[in-house]
Amino acid sequence: MWPFSGEGPALWLALYLLTFALHAVFVSYVLAGTAYAFVQSLRRADDAIAERVRDRLPFMLGCGITAGVAPLLFLQLLYQKRFYTANLLMGPRWGAVVPALIIGFYALYLAKAKVSLRVRRLALATGTLCFLFVAWSWTEIDQLMQADAVWRDMYAAGKRIYGASAIYPRLLLWLGAMLSLFAIVASWWASGPERRKLAVLGLIGRAVSVGAALLLVAAGGATDGNAHGWLYLLVAALAVEAAGWVWMIRAPDGPGLTLVTGAGAAALVCATVVREAPRLALIEPARPEALEAAGFPVFAATFVLGVAVIAWIWRAISDAKT
Amino acid sequence: MDPSPIPYYPVNEFGPLMKGLVIGGVGILHVFLAQFAIGGGMLLYYFERLAQAGVPDTRKFVDGYFKVLVLVSFVVGALTGVAMWFTTIQVGARTIGIMLDEFHWLWATEWVWFAIEIVAGYAFYRFGPQLDDKTRRRLLLIYAGASWMSLFWINGILAWQLTPGGWLDGGGMWAGFFNPSFWPSLLFRTAVAATLGALVACVVINTMDLERAAKAALIRRASRFAAPMALMPVFAAWFMAVIPADSRQWLMGGSMPMTMFVGVAAAASTLIGGYVVVGLIVKKLYINGATATMLLALAFGATAAGEFVREGARKPYTVRGVLYSTSMTPDEVTQLRKDGAVTKDPYPLRDEARYPTAQLRHGAKVHRALCDACHTVHGANALVELTRTWTDDQMRLNVSKLQRTKGFMPPFAGNAADVEALVQFLRWETAGAPASWPISDTPETLAQIATWLDEVGTAPMGDAR
């Protein structure tokens, strides 16, 4: 099945896209959740969702960073020269994502602690800004990787910011998607009235994404036809998800959340393929050493073991909570 | 894209800092925190068992210590790991690329263990007090085991850089992974991890609201955990025995900075070991927070020196026998001797207007391609200072026969015109970058350099193994 066919890099590509989707779930919760908690702190609202979000944010960021290592690994197999070149061109401005994440991480712990409202606001604002910076940086490097025509001049000029016209619509598209993904995850821990509120946020997020996608297309942004039908699947999944949100608003304790989750997961997987489609042609010819590298059975066995262990941990703490 | 088979990357300079200092700074912090996380995990499992056996105050210690572990290691420790990746790309993109190509499935395996470590750690941090004894014990065992497994996998990849062993003879990835320095490195790092776990425990215990006698009892138990330190000289000697002969010579007196770092690491470790083994374990002395912190700082110094030694011992390679510190393979050096070092480099200089002649621009590009990985022009390990007293001909000879000038330098990867351009560039910089500078390209000079290049050849001084 396109694009997971052919020899060599197909497995890396599949693992890259799947782990990227997993990473996206966690970081969406972190960025949108931090922003949500910040807005609620400004409103001085006694908001149970925000309280719950603040409690979970450090854990979710830990998961997001951990889950982010895997796509970073496979990305370097697929687009090694492009990724390294973009990394070097952006230089210290790219490296700044690490201190930004460290500051954001501690800000989340501070926001979770028993502190004054003023300190909490400051911590959440800091976290939001740090995570926005990281999201912007990733959007930039993703685009710069593909823009070999500008590499030489960008290096000569000593520029650290790429700033192509597609960057901000793409970032906006992602921010909208993040809000929807946050709403889906947060809804699982929410009560009925809270779910209504989250459903509205989920719909707003999708509207922002669709608007940004239209902007991107109007600006001649990257699309690769219908990506062999994945775009149609994406549109269908989004339509089902939207119907699920509406159902959830009308009957918050009904099956709407399950529908939204299923459709949202499908939309995320389809979106990662559609996002990747324009640069699939840029995948570098697999280096023989990488193709011949041993160790896959060890990884596969460890992966199965890891899933089993994490499932056991999940069950153990669920038992403890009950 | 560049059609050349040699992948050229844009080069960043870090002002007066040489690149080794940048990656060293990030790497040392990461290694220190990662080893603390491993030792801390093992120590916590031991203390949890004590707590469940009814030893007083140990449960309180476990919960307090775990908070430190999460707040320090899970945040800065994990993120400096990501920083290591990015910094390595900045310093030697080809090196990390080769490592990844060869070991990506093992790296992915390491990632699974890391994910288990993080999930188990957060689960214990968040729900520990609500869990029954058996689950607490199991969770800590998973955490400690997963963090050590993470070390197991990454250690093989890092050790391969210095001692690829049977991999160089076509033995395949596993021969490279279980290379000659795999076991001594793993055991040494495990002993270091246990020691760091114990030293942090001594600091944490001093912050607890307990009577001195209760603290002393906890400290005695924690300090036992550092006992494997006594075996570190054995592991270090084993490591020294299996590394390449030329690397061993640099460490044992051939290079004074390297030898001094070996001395610093050994002396700091001896001091810590002496205090812990004799003072805390044998004499059962008390250690206060200030002293424990000092010992921890000393351990940081030992880690820093040890990592410097490990990195330095690889010279002139970043992957022994495969890739030089200039990011060139031995075959590419031969090719560049014919083609020229920068003929196919697509990236211009960022400060072209600064140079009064084309030869100086050429020299600046040669410096960027071949010297910049380990030297600066005027800052740390500055070429201007290293060559200031040399005559022109001495510099031409020394650069041409680089691997003979210093055995830990790679062969010069360029032709006679490259050597002369580099010599003129360094002379111009030494003279304070004047507005005009004569061209130096007489046939006699270039012929003499070509003769020297031919005489020395392209083979490195040390054997690849």
Side-chain angles (χ1 to χ4, degrees):
Chain A
M1 183 175 58
W2 188 91
F4 311 110
S5 52
E7 293 294 310
L11 181 59
W12 301 336
L13 180 65
L15 287 168
Y16 166 63
L17 293 178
L18 282 174
T19 52
F20 176 76
L22 180 68
H23 167 68
V25 173
F26 290 118
V27 295
S28 295
Y29 187 93
V30 172
L31 177 47
T34 310
Y36 176 84
F38 174 59
V39 171
Q40 293 303 325
S41 75
L42 288 179
R43 295 176 62 203
R44 295 173 181 269
D46 188 15
D47 186 282
I49 301 173
E51 200 174 321
R52 214 176 295 122
V53 164
R54 278 193 289 108
D55 183 48
R56 287 174 167 80
L57 277 173
F59 170 69
M60 291 302 230
L61 181 56
C63 291
I65 290 166
T66 307
V69 171
L72 193 60
L73 181 83
F74 295 112
L75 181 77
Q76 291 175 71
L77 287 168
L78 295 166
Y79 306 102
Q80 190 169 100
K81 186 171 181 190
R82 289 177 176 279
F83 180 65
Y84 291 170
T85 302
N87 220 294
L88 285 155
L89 287 171
M90 288 168 72
R93 170 250 176 290
W94 166 249
V97 299
V98 174
L101 282 169
I102 292 175
I103 293 166
F105 218 142
Y106 282 121
L108 295 186
Y109 275 114
L110 189 61
K112 182 181 168 171
K114 286 176 186 160
V115 291
S116 68
L117 182 62
R118 201 172 149 197
V119 172
R120 179 167 298 152
R121 275 184 194 154
L122 187 65
L124 289 167
T126 305
T128 305
L129 286 175
C130 288
F131 303 137
L132 271 174
F133 173 77
V134 176
W136 171 58
S137 301
W138 269 112
T139 311
E140 278 240 310
I141 205 165
D142 174 86
Q143 292 295 287
L144 184 56
M145 275 171 66
Q146 302 171 55
D148 22 340
V150 306
W151 289 352
R152 189 181 180 281
D153 290 345
M154 189 169 165
Y155 178 78
K159 276 176 63 183
R160 299 298 189 188
I161 295 173
Y162 175 37
S165 61
I167 298 220
Y168 294 101
R170 281 184 80 91
L171 180 59
L172 192 62
L173 191 154
W174 267 107
L175 294 178
M178 285 175 150
L179 187 59
S180 300
L181 285 170
F182 160 73
I184 295 174
V185 177
S187 292
W188 283 97
W189 294 299
S191 64
E194 290 168 359
R195 282 185 182 178
R196 280 203 179 95
K197 194 172 178 180
L198 288 165
V200 173
L201 288 179
L203 280 169
I204 292 173
R206 286 308 183 201
V208 170
S209 288
V210 171
L214 292 175
L215 274 177
L216 205 54
V217 172
T223 52
D224 185 32
N226 61 30
H228 290 246
W230 286 88
L231 184 63
Y232 302 137
L233 286 175
L234 171 62
V235 171
L238 288 175
V240 175
E241 188 194 309
W245 286 126
V246 174
W247 195 352
M248 213 163 98
I249 291 169
R250 299 178 73 160
D253 295 321
L257 179 56
T258 309
L259 186 64
V260 161
T261 306
L268 179 60
V269 172
C270 294
T272 56
V273 177
V274 171
R275 168 184 174 270
E276 204 61 29
R279 67 175 184 185
L280 286 175
L282 303 178
I283 290 179
E284 292 157 15
R287 293 163 295 282
E289 313 82 58
L291 277 180
E292 291 160 13
F296 177 72
V298 174
F299 165 67
T302 310
F303 185 79
V304 172
L305 176 73
V307 170
V309 170
I310 289 171
W312 177 83
I313 293 171
W314 186 270
R315 208 187 67 186
I317 58 176
S318 299
D319 289 350
K321 279 192 282 186
T322 52
Chain B
M1 288 183 64
D2 175 26
S4 163
I6 300 175
Y8 284 97
Y9 288 106
V11 176
N12 283 316
E13 286 162 349
F14 297 89
L17 287 180
M18 64 184 222
K19 288 176 176 172
L21 290 178
V22 177
I23 187 126
V26 179
I28 289 160
L29 182 61
H30 174 66
V31 167
F32 185 75
L33 292 173
Q35 290 182 162
F36 154 57
I38 295 160
M42 296 189 291
L43 180 121
L44 281 170
Y45 178 69
Y46 166 65
F47 267 82
E48 181 63 23
R49 289 191 72 96
L50 292 176
Q52 292 182 18
V55 177
D57 304 316
T58 43
R59 173 60 62 86
K60 191 176 174 185
F61 166 76
V62 168
D63 290 337
Y65 191 97
F66 212 88
K67 276 185 188 144
V68 174
L69 199 69
V70 166
L71 284 174
V72 176
S73 177
F74 279 33
V75 180
V76 185
L79 280 163
T80 48
V82 179
M84 274 303 288
W85 215 326
F86 294 160
T87 313
T88 310
I89 293 171
Q90 292 291 323
V91 173
R94 278 193 87 183
T95 305
I96 189 84
I98 287 176
M99 291 163 78
L100 211 82
D101 284 349
E102 193 64 35
F103 293 107
H104 56 272
W105 292 122
L106 300 192
W107 229 315
T109 304
E110 190 264 342
W111 169 73
V112 176
W113 286 110
F114 178 59
I116 296 172
E117 175 190 344
I118 293 291
V119 173
Y122 269 117
F124 189 86
Y125 174 67
R126 182 75 172 75
F127 299 103
Q130 296 160 249
L131 299 173
D132 60 69
D133 282 358
K134 196 172 155 191
T135 311
R136 276 176 69 93
R137 221 171 46 236
R138 283 183 177 174
L139 213 48
L140 281 175
L141 187 61
I142 290 170
Y143 172 78
S147 58
W148 188 81
M149 284 305 289
S150 187
L151 168 68
F152 177 90
W153 292 109
I154 207 70
N155 170 69
I157 300 170
L158 294 180
W160 167 82
Q161 285 184 271
L162 175 61
T163 53
W167 179 85
L168 285 173
D169 305 317
M173 188 206 68
W174 290 111
F177 183 78
F178 291 108
N179 60 75
S181 64
F182 175 86
W183 290 110
S185 294
L186 182 66
L187 293 170
F188 189 88
R189 287 184 185 281
T190 305
V192 171
T195 305
L196 291 178
L199 290 176
V200 175
C202 292
V203 176
V204 171
I205 290 164
N206 270 284
T207 65
M208 291 170 69
D209 188 18
L210 293 173
E211 296 293 324
R212 184 183 162 112
K215 286 183 185 175
L218 287 176
I219 285 170
R220 269 199 299 280
R221 290 185 184 278
S223 56
R224 283 178 202 160
F225 216 76
M229 265 203 98
L231 291 171
M232 277 168 61
V234 178
F235 302 143
W238 184 2
F239 177 81
M240 292 293 264
V242 298
I243 64 175
D246 58 334
S247 297
R248 190 164 48 246
Q249 283 157 13
W250 310 134
L251 303 184
M252 302 303 289
S255 159
M256 263 329 281
M258 296 293 293
T259 307
M260 279 174 65
F261 275 104
V262 172
V264 168
S269 302
T270 306
L271 283 172
I272 299 165
Y275 196 100
V276 171
V277 176
V278 179
L280 297 181
I281 299 177
V282 179
K283 298 281 184 188
K284 296 184 171 51
L285 297 176
Y286 184 77
I287 181 171
N288 62 26
T291 311
T293 306
M294 280 298 292
L295 285 184
L296 198 59
L298 209 52
F300 185 82
T303 305
E307 289 303 308
F308 185 91
V309 167
R310 189 181 61 80
E311 287 283 323
R314 284 203 301 260
K315 286 185 182 299
Y317 297 100
T318 57
V319 179
R320 185 92 192 174
V322 176
L323 196 72
Y324 289 118
S325 44
T326 48
S327 289
M328 304 289 175
T329 66
D331 285 346
E332 287 163 1
V333 172
T334 309
Q335 184 191 328
L336 293 171
R337 280 279 172 95
K338 295 179 199 137
D339 299 346
V342 293
T343 314
K344 291 179 181 169
D345 184 350
Y347 293 100
L349 294 168
R350 281 183 172 144
D351 54 355
E352 279 200 348
R354 181 172 170 257
Y355 305 98
T357 69
Q359 187 178 41
L360 289 175
R361 281 193 287 280
H362 181 183
K365 283 186 89 171
V366 173
H367 168 268
R368 187 180 69 180
L370 302 184
C371 315
D372 186 76
C374 306
H375 295 276
T376 63
V377 178
H378 292 285
N381 208 17
L383 280 179
V384 158
E385 301 310 324
L386 289 170
T387 61
R388 187 181 290 277
T389 56
W390 294 356
T391 65
D392 286 359
D393 275 342
Q394 190 182 7
M395 200 188 310
R396 289 175 185 121
L397 172 69
N398 286 349
V399 172
S400 301
K401 299 192 173 186
L402 202 54
Q403 70 270 48
R404 288 195 182 278
T405 304
K406 291 275 172 85
F408 49 75
M409 297 288 284
F412 187 80
N415 57 26
D418 293 331
V419 171
E420 187 56 20
L422 180 63
V423 167
Q424 294 306 316
F425 166 73
L426 291 173
R427 278 286 173 259
W428 177 72
E429 288 284 1
T430 307
S436 64
W437 193 256
I439 306 273
S440 169
D441 59 355
T442 62
E444 295 77 20
T445 303
L446 295 178
Q448 177 60 70
I449 294 171
T451 304
W452 284 330
L453 285 169
D454 290 342
E455 278 173 8
V456 75
T458 57
M461 282 300 100
D463 185 56
R465 281 148 192 84

